[in-house]
Amino acid sequence: MSLLSLEQISVAFGHNPLLSKISFSAEAGERVAIIGRNGAGKSTLLKVISGEQIPDEGVVRLEGGMTIGQLPQELPDANEKTVREVVSEGAGEAHSLMSRYFKLLEDFENDHSNELSDIQTELDRIQGWDLEQRVNHMIQRLALPADKLMSELSGGWRRRVILAQALISNPDVLLLDEPTNHLDVPTIEWMEQQLQQFRGLILFITHDRRFLEKLANRIIELDRGNLISFSGNITAFLAFKEKMLEEEERANALFDKRLAEEEVWIRQGIKARRTRNEGRVRALKALREERSERINRQGNAKMAIETKDKSGKLVAEFTQVGHSFEDKVILQPMDFVVNRGDRIGLIGPNGCGKSTFLKILLGDLEPKTGSVRQGTKLNVAYFDQLREQLDPEQTVAENVGEGKDVIEINGQNKHVIGYLGDFLFPPERARTPVKALSGGERNRVLLAKLFTRPANLLIMDEPTNDLDVETLELLEELLMNYDGTLLLVSHDRAFLDNVVTSVIAFEGEGRVKEYVGGYQDWIRQGGKFPTESTSQTDDAPSKKEKAKADAKKAEEASQKTTVQAKPKAKLSYKIQREFDDMPATIAKLEEEIAALHVTTSAAEFYAGDADKVQKTLAKLAHKEEELETTMERWLELEEMQNG
């Protein structure tokens, strides 16, 4: 029996038909991958199924009583809610009723007996009394830190929490939009196992081809407003699709030939017009209308990297380089050499030290031990996974052209609108603000901007996020033919296997080792990640966390030596407000400092205006000093509160 069915669904934005009278049905046990080009309507289809988007026409049917769980593409907020609270919110009505029930019980001054009775009846009806037990079970199953604040977790761990929130209501249908974004490889493989155990219906969008191969048992593709359904895995589908496109091209060629012949006939002289029949004229008109309605397939992007003059043979050399933050070892002392033409992938859990490694290599961070020797004639281009190099308020053309209408590509001048056409941005889209673009389109803008800069050392941090399969394959080909040096941070296992010639693996506790080959070669050579990807923060533990840990240790030591713990000192209202606001202030300062580090690490930063460089460096120093002062004050107030 079908859990879900769509009947003649249509959605259009302006003159652009995203979905054109599509229909399909799906059953429990199916894991349906939705594929298609960026902008083809994949996320729109999920929104139609969930009820967030009302279709222009058509009907969505769910079997009676069926529930939907969702894993959105965006990360959940890094707020001050605990993991337990966020997971509980996924229970919807049961969570709301339980929250209201306990709130009324705490109000001793008023009689709420009638409302409490109504809530009890509703909780009995929806079996909501076991909510706490279900939350505990889900937290244990997904190995979540129940009492941690969301603000203390990395992106990958917040993604785990939001998956638990989606599963807590025991949904019959699970909708996943780019579930592997912000996840490291161990967590992606963990998620694959979790989803393979799900017994309901899964519909998911992903750019991760290995994830797609392992999870999907049915493929639906959105192509020019139409839906193609195929039962089987992605490999079989691609073979089927290639044959289907060949048939389509043959049919279009025959159609165009017939149309051309009729156009010649209608334009013959007076004699032909005297003998022509009206039926044939009407048939020609119908052919013209059919041709005008044909939506041609979008072409492939045309990317090219301009390589600056070759660097020296040596790009960088590590001699017993080691690094740590406080008591956390990031890199154990190691020797390592990067030569011109190397294509190296960096793999490891989030927070293991990949970004620190790159900063040391580029000379932006001084290692604790050892030395780094950089090569000569280096010109660096850096791809930032957070897309902080893009101004969301500016148009695509303004971001790429940086105020100029003409840019120089491989020694030739090219209009920025024409250049963006190679990256699949038509003129009207090139004049659209970046904030209005999809995630995949923003990635293409960043690639277009990056490739305007000649470089012989290319550093790419998660370049595959949100890209469609065709663009991914084109980027792979481009990087394989790149004659400069490539350092690639990626959790896309297929992309790594296809592009890099060696990997640097971060295997836990600061152990870093180089292997020949890609991700699968690393696995075959006995490589493995730590048993559990427990890193919940960035490379360096934040001072906020350290302060909390130190305070906790001090409190535990005090309890061991004192018969009775001192009562907490009560702070004045003003100081208490100051103390309560400090976590948000610290988080904001850390974000500002991170953004300034990105600016100052850009290759072109020091080549710019000298006054601007000095002002930016001064601002960075001031913010770091402000953070230090704020942290010291935070510790001081915490000690006062703890008595």
Side-chain angles (χ1 to χ4, degrees), residues 53-67:
Q53 171 80 43
I54 304 299
D56 299 331
E57 57 179 307
V59 179
V60 178
R61 300 188 190 280
L62 277 171
E63 287 300 315
M66 297 297 175
T67 58

Side-chain angles (χ1 to χ4, degrees), residues 485-524:
T485 305
L486 171 68
L487 290 170
L488 172 68
V489 179
S490 180
H491 301 306
D492 188 321
R493 295 156 290 179
F495 193 77
L496 285 165
D497 284 337
N498 293 339
V499 171
V500 303
T501 54
S502 65
V503 295
I504 299 174
F506 291 73
E507 299 180 332
E509 299 179 352
R511 296 188 305 272
V512 180
K513 189 175 178 182
E514 185 179 12
Y515 294 81
V516 174
Y519 177 80
Q520 289 300 326
D521 296 300
W522 171 65
I523 295 292
R524 281 193 291 271

Side-chain angles (χ1 to χ4, degrees), residues 339-546:
N339 289 314
R340 184 180 65 223
D342 285 349
R343 295 199 300 272
I344 303 170
L346 276 65
I347 59 176
N350 289 333
C352 66
K354 298 186 293 292
S355 297
T356 299
F357 180 92
L358 290 176
K359 288 177 183 177
I360 292 174
L361 185 144
L362 292 173
D364 295 331
L365 182 65
E366 189 73 23
K368 295 289 186 182
T369 63
S371 61
V372 179
R373 182 162 67 101
Q374 286 191 341
T376 58
K377 299 180 182 178
L378 292 182
N379 287 280
V380 182
Y382 177 68
F383 182 96
D384 169 26
Q385 66 160 316
L386 299 178
R387 307 183 187 117
E388 292 182 355
Q389 298 175 40
L390 299 179
D391 185 340
E393 300 300 326
Q394 290 187 337
T395 66
V396 174
E398 288 169 341
N399 267 284
V400 173
E402 297 180 342
K404 296 179 290 187
D405 292 332
V406 177
I407 53 179
E408 185 178 327
I409 303 294
N410 289 322
Q412 296 183 341
N413 289 334
K414 194 166 187 177
H415 197 282
V416 66
I417 299 296
Y419 173 69
L420 285 168
D422 293 341
F423 289 80
L424 304 181
F425 289 103
E428 65 275 10
R429 202 62 175 163
R431 298 184 178 93
T432 301
V434 164
K435 64 182 179 182
L437 303 182
S438 68
E441 287 176 313
R442 293 189 190 194
N443 252 19
R444 272 193 274 126
V445 175
L446 192 51
L447 287 171
K449 185 181 178 78
L450 183 74
F451 295 163
T452 61
R453 300 169 182 172
N456 52 35
L457 174 56
L458 187 59
I459 297 177
M460 308 191 82
D461 192 354
E462 289 294 342
T464 64
N465 282 350
D466 305 315
L467 293 180
D468 55 46
V469 173
E470 288 92 342
T471 309
L472 265 177
E473 291 175 347
L474 180 67
L475 182 59
E476 282 177 354
E477 183 179 352
L478 184 71
L479 294 177
M480 284 189 287
N481 294 325
Y482 177 55
D483 60 2
T485 305
L486 171 68
L487 290 170
L488 172 68
V489 179
S490 180
H491 301 306
D492 188 321
R493 295 156 290 179
F495 193 77
L496 285 165
D497 284 337
N498 293 339
V499 171
V500 303
T501 54
S502 65
V503 295
I504 299 174
F506 291 73
E507 299 180 332
E509 299 179 352
R511 296 188 305 272
V512 180
K513 189 175 178 182
E514 185 179 12
Y515 294 81
V516 174
Y519 177 80
Q520 289 300 326
D521 296 300
W522 171 65
I523 295 292
R524 281 193 291 271
Q525 294 174 66
K528 60 181 180 179
F529 292 120
T531 305
E532 179 64 32
S533 176
T534 55
S535 178
Q536 298 174 6
T537 58
D538 294 331
D539 292 342
S542 70
K543 295 182 179 180
K544 176 182 172 184
E545 285 192 11
K546 188 175 184 303

